[in-house]
Amino acid sequence: MRILLVEDNPGDIRLLQEYLLKDCSTAGGFQIVHADRLEKGLTLVAEAGFDAILLDLSLPDSHGMDTLVRMRSAAKGIPIVVLTSIEDDALGMQLIQAGAQDYLVKGQVTGHLLMRSLRYAAERNRTEAALRDSEERYRTLVEGARDVIFTLSKEGVITSLNPAFERITQWTSDAWIGRPFGGLIHPEDLPLAIDIFRHIVETGEALTCVLRIRSQDRGYVVGEFVGVPHIQSGRPCGVLGIARDITERKRVEEALERLRHRYVLLLTSAHDGIYGIDMQGHAIFVNPAAARMLGSSSEELVGRYMHDIVHHTKQDGGAYSVEECPIHRTIRDGTVQYLTDDVFWRKDGTSFPVEYSSTPIIERGEMVGAVVMFRDISERQRTERALRESEARLRAILDNSPNLVFLKDTQGRYLDVNRQFERTFHISREAIAGKTDEEVFPSEHAAAFRANDLMVLRAGIPLQFEEVALQDDGPHTSIVFKFPLHNGNGKIYAICGITADITERKRADEERRKLLNDRLLLLESTSDGIYGLDLNGRCTFINTAAAKMLGYQPEEVVGKNMHDLIHHHRADGTPYPMNECQIFQAFRSGQASHLDGEVFWRKDLSCFPVDYSSSAIVEEGVIKGAVVSFTDISQHKQAEEAIRQAEERYRSIFENAVEGIFRTTIDGRYLVVNPALARLYGYESPEEMISAVTDIAKQVYVEPRRREEFLCRMHEEEMVIGFESQARRKDGGVIWVSENVRVVRDRNGAIVGYEGTVENISQRKEAEEQLQQSLDRLRTLSGRLEVVREEERARIARELHDELGVGLTCLKIDLSQANTIVSEVEGVRLRRKLSEKIRTMIEQVEGTITDVQRIVSELRPGVLDDLGLVAAIEWQSQEFQRLTGIPCTCTATAEDIEVEPERATAVFRICQEALTNVARHAHATAVRVSLQEQGGFLLLSVSDNGKGIPDQRISDPRSFGLLGMRERAALLGGEVTITVSPEKGTTITMRLPVRASAA
């Protein structure tokens, strides 16, 4: 198309030429002739033919509507598209009425919109000229036209159709002539078609629109319609129209629009800086990210010589010549250049490290410039330095850990081990790297290690195993905690293992198992019948003597209701209800019961008199069941003999027991001591110990107060299990012991002394101390993980804000501009529908922006970093009240409290978790938050008037929120306390040192 551009603004001229000349080499491209004055434009119109005119109303020699009137007079039918800087629908209507084919608002013009407007203007102009031809020429055109030409009556009935109708729609003309045109229109487009038809009939004006028309294959064809009044004999008799099939063109236009939109969205929302330069090095475009990083705006940079602006100086301060510049090397020889360590310079004279690539821009086989993509790597360099420091700290922790730590890949090859691993197995980390367990350990051990590794890989979660490895002094058993390591994509790339040697503990467990076997042997060796009951009266165990006396095999009795089995009738034959049974008194009162003169029933339904006792089984203060012992008193002599034999066996056990056994007076003098106890305290014999130790509190107990605590508990509970204390041996050495002691009473019930057992637990204590040290180290590592997690949250928040937030904002701006363009669409109903749809999309984008801002705040509230801890706590309180509707008051002793970032984050997260718990569980109507500094401590208090936290929830290890608050505080030397009142709600108080201790 040959276009006359009448414009005096150089920037607008260049932009319009760039839009139009992109298509100058293709069929249907544009040829532009420029005039900067109206008089010059009028002269050019008279001298050469043009397809369309682009006319600016504000020219040096003419202004306003008069410019259009004069140009239209000289154009002699050439379509005119007006350029105006004013967005005003009323002005646009005046321009159309004055003869303009279309008008475009500067600043909103796109290349696609401009080309479409010019082509549509020229097309409309040609169509209107064709409609003015003679009837004979019209008929010739109609019959041979590729477009559909039709006529409609005033009532909307189709009166004629040309052959193109059959070719395009596959319908026959006879099938539709004489029928209303509405049957051919897509239901959604029908209201617009009716409005246009009525407008043409009523006003006599020609109108253009795009409608979808039914085809015979039940699909739809997109047509561009031009309708004019059909005049016969000088009077309007309906509508004459032409419709062009633009289905393929619409598809291509929509595809091009989507491509353009994606390109613009990609360019504007990209986090990396992107700019393009021409062959002379001048910027032809600069995306927002690049402008922001360079400290300028895109408008400031476009057209500027970019080398002198951003790449003029090297990192060492020396001049950076164009000949050395890799970016300009791309322009010279067309090669792609990539640098990972260079600097760009900002507008304010500062520099920043970048990695960048420059790629040639090729159009029609020729290089026309280059595109440069760069990234600010300042944060990455800081992160890499921090990572190196973190790795050094982690290496120091691992190498000083007493536990073995190792790292393997998913194939079982060692990646790293700590120093303790090297010392234990006499192999360096360099030597073991790349090797498998099969190459380092015996095959049976290696196979077990690999099987456990595979279980962790399949489960994808931390697992704990017991593994055996051969060391210098023989096999060692360890608890190995193995857990998977995930890469950035969430895939497992390695397994880490931490081992704790439990060889000594296993030996101690074996000794305890042997002792248990000895006790079971004692149970089986007695002639008394003994069985245990659960709370439902079912048998939990029965010794052989009891089963034999009752005429059963033990397996026949276990799990059965013992009352129904052996105690269902009294001696006189009357039924014995279970709720009256004396055996079950232990369940109801917790007291032991003893009866004689009752009977038990055998399997053969015979009975025998018994002397029995039942005692409650109490664990941690809770009755778990009962143990019943009985004697067949029909064979009293045999029972006495059995008792004597049992006493002898007990004496044998007493003399040979591994645990120390004793009996004392009430004032602490030993009466009976077995050899094991004497050896435990370093004495040659029990007699020596009894004579030497006359006061246990002074001679044995290292801490006399522990003896007082022991006696107090004995008087309160009458039995103390597992009482641990330090004891002094004869040679002055100190050991840890565990005592199981009960009160001894005389026949009158008076306390006369104590008896019990003593176990040496020094090795276990040492193991527990080592375990506590490991837990302390793990807690330190956990604290580091919290810091890393907060840093990651901050990074994600920045990326959401900088990338997704910017992208959504650009999308909102584009939608707002689209809403302006919609005002140009003809047809009130279509314009209203498009405006409503765009409004809904803008609301959705605004809602999404709000959600992004909320997520950014939840990940890492900017107020914490920007305004400090007090402002962050006040903001969190206001957010809580806004989101939940629960009134929340916040008080602080100062406008700001200086505190380390790590501690500020911990206080903020504890407050956040406390308020979350209130919202989820408290059913409160008011909340109070208090933050103050007292004596070098931060005191945070969150109180509500809700229903309170149940006691079991406070101590429940699955209450992860409460546990997390305690752990955060403990990591920094603080504590969290929870006070609950059913009437006043819950108060969570945190006490934390303002600064880390010097230690």
Side-chain angles (χ1 to χ4, degrees):
M1 290 181 65
R2 184 173 171 82
I3 306 299
L4 173 61
L5 173 60
V6 185
E7 173 63 71
D8 66 317
N9 187 304
D12 291 339
I13 294 168
R14 180 177 178 180
L15 182 62
L16 293 171
Q17 288 177 334
E18 181 179 347
Y19 283 152
L20 294 177
L21 292 180
K22 285 182 178 179
D23 277 2
C24 66
S25 62
T26 63
F30 294 86
Q31 179 185 358
I32 302 173
V33 177
H34 171 240
D36 59 353
R37 297 291 190 275
L38 179 60
E39 290 300 331
K40 183 178 179 181
L42 296 176
T43 301
L44 290 172
V45 167
E47 293 176 355
F50 294 93
D51 297 299
I53 300 171
L54 273 173
L55 177 64
D56 183 8
L57 293 182
S58 298
L59 297 169
D61 58 344
S62 182
H63 183 77
M65 194 66 70
D66 183 63
T67 305
L68 173 61
V69 172
R70 293 176 62 189
M71 178 57 75
R72 183 171 180 269
S73 176
K76 299 186 184 301
I78 300 174
I80 301 173
V81 177
V82 174
L83 295 171
T84 175
S85 59
I86 302 174
E87 183 181 1
D88 187 339
D89 290 343
L91 174 61
M93 185 58 67
Q94 291 177 12
L95 293 172
I96 298 298
Q97 292 172 350
Q101 286 283 357
D102 201 352
Y103 77 102
L104 301 174
V105 180
K106 293 182 179 180
Q108 298 181 5
V109 176
T110 65
H112 176 72
L113 177 61
L114 179 60
M115 289 186 287
R116 186 176 65 180
S117 180
L118 288 171
R119 285 179 175 142
Y120 281 8
E123 185 66 26
R124 285 194 295 269
N125 191 61
R126 285 194 294 271
T127 302
E128 291 169 359
L131 288 175
R132 290 190 294 269
D133 287 348
S134 66
E135 182 66 24
E136 182 179 355
R137 190 175 175 188
Y138 165 74
R139 289 185 182 278
T140 303
L141 176 64
V142 167
E143 294 299 326
R146 298 180 60 189
D147 298 336
V148 176
I149 300 174
F150 60 91
T151 57
L152 305 176
S153 70
K154 286 186 175 181
E155 292 74 25
V157 175
I158 301 173
T159 56
S160 69
L161 292 165
N162 72 334
F165 173 79
E166 297 182 356
R167 176 177 54 79
I168 294 173
T169 67
Q170 306 303 314
W171 294 107
T172 64
S173 298
D174 294 340
W176 284 96
I177 292 176
R179 296 173 60 182
F181 75 89
L184 277 172
I185 309 299
H186 190 287
E188 293 180 1
D189 296 347
L190 185 56
L192 174 63
I194 293 173
D195 286 347
I196 290 175
F197 173 77
R198 289 175 178 171
H199 187 83
I200 295 172
V201 171
E202 294 172 1
T203 65
E205 295 180 358
L207 289 179
T208 302
C209 65
V210 176
L211 300 172
R212 287 169 287 180
I213 306 300
R214 286 176 55 196
S215 64
Q216 193 173 20
D217 61 1
R218 297 184 180 277
Y220 286 90
V221 178
V222 180
E224 182 180 52
F225 287 77
V226 176
V228 298
H230 187 196
I231 307 298
Q232 287 185 345
S233 302
R235 300 180 63 185
C237 63
V239 173
L240 173 64
I242 182 169
R244 172 166 295 177
D245 182 3
I246 61 170
T247 306
E248 184 62 23
R249 191 182 79 192
K250 289 291 290 184
R251 186 187 65 77
V252 172
E253 288 177 350
E254 290 172 357
L256 289 175
E257 180 61 23
R258 287 194 299 271
L259 184 62
R260 185 201 66 80
H261 177 73
R262 290 172 185 170
Y263 167 75
V264 172
L265 182 61
L266 176 64
L267 195 64
T268 57
S269 62
H271 185 65
D272 292 339
I274 305 173
Y275 67 87
I277 57 175
D278 59 19
M279 295 298 290
Q280 288 73 44
H282 296 95
I284 55 178
F285 67 85
V286 180
N287 77 334
R292 184 175 63 253
M293 283 189 275
L294 296 174
S296 300
S297 65
S298 299
E299 293 75 13
E300 288 181 277
L301 295 173
V302 171
R304 301 283 299 282
Y305 187 62
M306 293 299 288
H307 182 81
D308 288 349
I309 295 176
V310 304
H311 211 200
H312 48 76
T313 305
K314 298 179 180 178
Q315 296 186 55
D316 59 6
Y320 209 149
S321 66
V322 173
E323 289 74 18
E324 298 178 86
C325 177
I327 296 173
H328 280 262
R329 190 176 301 131
T330 297
I331 300 175
R332 289 194 299 272
D333 56 24
T335 59
V336 176
Q337 301 293 320
Y338 178 73
L339 264 73
T340 59
D341 187 16
D342 206 340
V343 296
F344 278 1
W345 296 83
R346 301 186 183 93
K347 180 179 179 180
D348 61 5
T350 60
S351 65
F352 59 98
V354 295
E355 63 176 14
Y356 67 86
S357 64
S358 63
T359 306
I361 301 174
I362 306 298
E363 292 184 359
R364 303 178 187 91
E366 294 185 3
M367 184 167 61
V368 296
V371 61
V372 180
M373 180 178 294
F374 66 93
R375 178 176 297 167
D376 185 345
I377 59 173
S378 304
E379 184 63 28
R380 188 176 74 189
Q381 289 183 348
R382 286 193 293 270
T383 302
E384 289 173 350
R385 287 195 298 271
L387 181 60
R388 288 193 294 272
E389 294 171 359
S390 176
E391 289 176 345
R393 288 193 294 270
L394 180 59
R395 171 55 61 187
I397 293 172
L398 293 179
D399 283 344
N400 289 282
S401 171
N403 295 323
L404 279 67
V405 183
F406 58 85
L407 192 68
K408 304 178 191 175
D409 65 17
T410 56
Q411 304 303 315
R413 294 185 293 267
Y414 279 91
L415 300 175
D416 198 5
V417 297
N418 72 337
R419 193 168 295 159
Q420 183 64 26
F421 192 102
E422 295 178 313
R423 288 194 293 263
T424 301
F425 296 111
H426 309 296
I427 185 169
S428 67
R429 60 171 62 101
E430 292 78 15
I432 201 173
K435 292 184 178 180
T436 64
D437 290 320
E438 286 285 349
E439 300 174 84
V440 179
F441 299 102
S443 59
E444 64 274 15
H445 293 167
F449 300 163
R450 183 55 182 165
N452 294 339
D453 292 348
L454 292 175
M455 288 178 63
V456 174
L457 289 173
R458 286 192 293 267
I461 58 175
L463 296 175
Q464 183 173 291
F465 306 96
E466 188 174 296
E467 296 181 347
V468 177
L470 189 63
Q471 298 185 18
D472 293 342
D473 57 351
H476 275 238
T477 302
S478 300
I479 293 294
V480 184
F481 181 74
K482 296 184 177 182
F483 53 92
L485 301 178
H486 298 80
N487 60 20
N489 297 324
K491 292 185 179 180
I492 298 174
Y493 72 91
I495 293 177
C496 182
I498 302 175
T499 69
D501 195 327
I502 60 167
T503 305
E504 291 302 321
R505 193 184 79 187
K506 291 286 286 185
R507 291 172 183 165
D509 290 343
E510 181 63 23
E511 291 178 359
R512 283 194 290 272
R513 187 186 63 78
K514 291 180 180 178
L515 179 60
L516 178 60
N517 289 337
D518 292 341
R519 291 176 178 173
L520 291 175
L521 179 62
L522 176 63
L523 183 66
E524 287 299 316
S525 65
T526 181
S527 61
D528 286 347
I530 302 174
Y531 64 87
L533 299 174
D534 63 16
L535 292 176
N536 295 314
R538 293 187 295 265
C539 178
T540 56
F541 68 86
I542 185 168
N543 71 343
T544 305
K548 185 176 180 180
M549 281 189 278
L550 297 172
Y552 291 95
Q553 293 298 321
E555 57 269 18
E556 294 182 272
V557 178
V558 173
K560 301 292 181 59
N561 187 296
M562 291 301 288
H563 183 81
D564 294 343
L565 204 65
I566 67 172
H567 209 200
H568 46 78
H569 283 77
R570 295 185 173 91
D572 59 5
T574 59
Y576 201 163
M578 185 173 177
N579 60 351
E580 298 178 10
C581 179
Q582 294 299 314
I583 292 175
F584 292 92
Q585 292 296 327
F587 295 160
R588 293 189 288 271
S589 64
Q591 298 294 322
S593 62
H594 180 83
L595 254 76
D596 56 15
E598 290 195 2
V599 296
F600 281 177
W601 295 82
R602 299 187 184 94
K603 182 179 181 180
D604 62 5
L605 301 183
S606 63
C607 65
F608 60 97
V610 293
D611 180 359
Y612 72 85
S613 63
S614 74
S615 301
I617 299 175
V618 181
E619 295 180 3
E620 298 179 355
V622 178
I623 297 174
K624 299 293 185 179
V627 62
V628 180
S629 65
F630 65 91
T631 305
D632 183 353
I633 59 176
S634 62
Q635 299 177 352
H636 189 63
K637 290 183 179 181
Q638 295 178 2
E640 288 180 346
E641 180 62 19
I643 291 173
R644 185 185 64 78
Q645 293 175 0
E647 288 178 348
E648 289 179 356
R649 285 193 291 272
Y650 172 77
R651 172 55 60 183
S652 175
I653 293 172
F654 177 83
E655 295 292 335
N656 297 287
V658 177
E659 290 183 338
I661 304 174
F662 68 91
R663 185 172 181 181
T664 71
T665 63
I666 196 169
D667 57 359
R669 290 182 294 106
Y670 281 116
L671 297 177
V672 178
V673 172
N674 75 335
L677 187 66
R679 290 193 299 272
L680 187 148
Y681 285 111
Y683 291 93
E684 296 294 331
S685 66
E687 293 76 19
E688 180 189 5
M689 183 174 179
I690 291 172
S691 62
V693 181
T694 59
D695 189 338
I696 296 175
K698 293 182 180 179
Q699 295 174 263
V700 176
Y701 275 79
V702 174
E703 298 180 72
R705 287 180 297 177
R706 294 287 288 162
R707 176 66 175 175
E708 296 171 3
E709 178 185 345
F710 169 78
L711 292 174
C712 181
R713 288 182 57 184
M714 285 299 301
H715 283 289
E716 292 177 355
E717 305 172 17
E718 297 197 358
M719 180 177 289
V720 175
I721 303 297
F723 184 83
E724 297 180 359
S725 65
Q726 289 182 301
R728 188 178 292 107
R729 289 169 50 89
K730 177 183 177 181
D731 58 6
V734 175
I735 60 174
W736 276 95
V737 296
S738 175
E739 297 181 82
N740 298 332
V741 187
R742 70 180 183 89
V743 168
V744 178
R745 297 180 181 271
D746 60 16
R747 293 183 178 180
N748 297 323
I751 298 175
V752 295
Y754 311 98
E755 64 182 10
T757 60
V758 179
E759 179 184 4
N760 187 344
I761 61 170
S762 299
Q763 291 182 345
R764 193 190 78 193
K765 281 292 187 179
E766 291 175 1
E768 289 175 352
E769 183 177 354
Q770 292 176 358
L771 179 59
Q772 183 60 45
Q773 292 173 357
S774 296
L775 290 175
D776 292 341
R777 287 189 291 271
L778 286 176
R779 176 168 286 175
T780 301
L781 289 175
S782 176
R784 177 56 188 164
L785 288 176
E786 286 296 330
V787 173
V788 173
R789 183 183 301 166
E790 288 296 333
E791 292 173 352
E792 183 65 10
R793 283 176 172 171
R795 184 187 67 78
I796 293 172
R798 286 194 301 272
E799 291 186 0
L800 282 174
H801 179 273
D802 293 345
E803 296 185 11
L804 186 55
V806 171
L808 288 170
T809 302
C810 292
L811 180 57
K812 179 182 175 183
I813 293 171
D814 287 345
L815 287 172
S816 298
Q817 293 178 349
N819 203 16
T820 302
I821 297 172
V822 165
S823 63
E824 302 173 11
V825 175
E826 297 178 358
V828 175
R829 188 184 301 271
L830 178 59
R831 187 162 58 248
R832 185 182 303 115
K833 289 178 67 177
L834 290 175
S835 296
E836 179 62 23
K837 184 64 178 177
I838 292 174
R839 184 189 64 78
T840 303
M841 293 172 68
I842 291 175
E843 291 177 354
Q844 181 67 31
V845 170
E846 289 176 343
T848 305
I849 292 173
T850 301
D851 289 341
V852 169
Q853 292 171 345
R854 174 181 58 78
I855 293 171
V856 168
S857 296
E858 290 175 354
L859 283 171
R860 183 68 180 180
V863 67
L864 180 62
D865 298 323
D866 298 337
L867 301 180
L869 177 60
V870 173
I873 295 298
E874 291 174 347
W875 172 84
Q876 179 65 30
S877 301
Q878 294 168 2
E879 281 294 289
F880 171 83
Q881 179 171 317
R882 182 181 66 82
L883 294 173
T884 64
I886 301 173
C888 181
T889 59
C890 179
T891 59
T893 56
E895 292 185 359
D896 192 18
I897 299 175
E898 292 187 5
V899 64
E900 299 168 355
E902 182 181 10
R903 294 174 180 270
T905 299
V907 174
F908 179 82
R909 292 300 183 198
I910 290 173
C911 179
Q912 187 179 54
E913 180 63 31
L915 290 175
T916 300
N917 284 342
V918 172
R920 289 178 177 173
H921 309 296
H923 300 295
T925 59
V927 182
R928 298 186 306 278
V929 179
S930 170
L931 180 65
Q932 52 186 318
E933 180 181 2
Q934 289 184 0
F937 285 88
L938 278 175
L939 299 179
L940 173 69
S941 172
V942 180
S943 302
D944 66 75
N945 63 350
K947 65 180 183 179
I949 304 175
D951 293 341
Q952 62 270 23
R953 292 284 294 174
I954 295 177
S955 57
D956 189 347
R958 293 172 296 180
S959 298
F960 297 112
L962 302 179
L963 180 63
M965 288 190 285
R966 292 190 176 108
E967 281 299 313
R968 280 183 181 274
L971 285 171
L972 299 174
E975 61 180 359
V976 171
T977 57
I978 302 173
T979 306
V980 180
S981 172
E983 298 179 356
K984 298 182 180 179
T986 303
T987 298
I988 296 178
T989 304
M990 181 219 67
R991 186 172 184 267
L992 183 71
V994 174
R995 294 172 181 84
S997 63

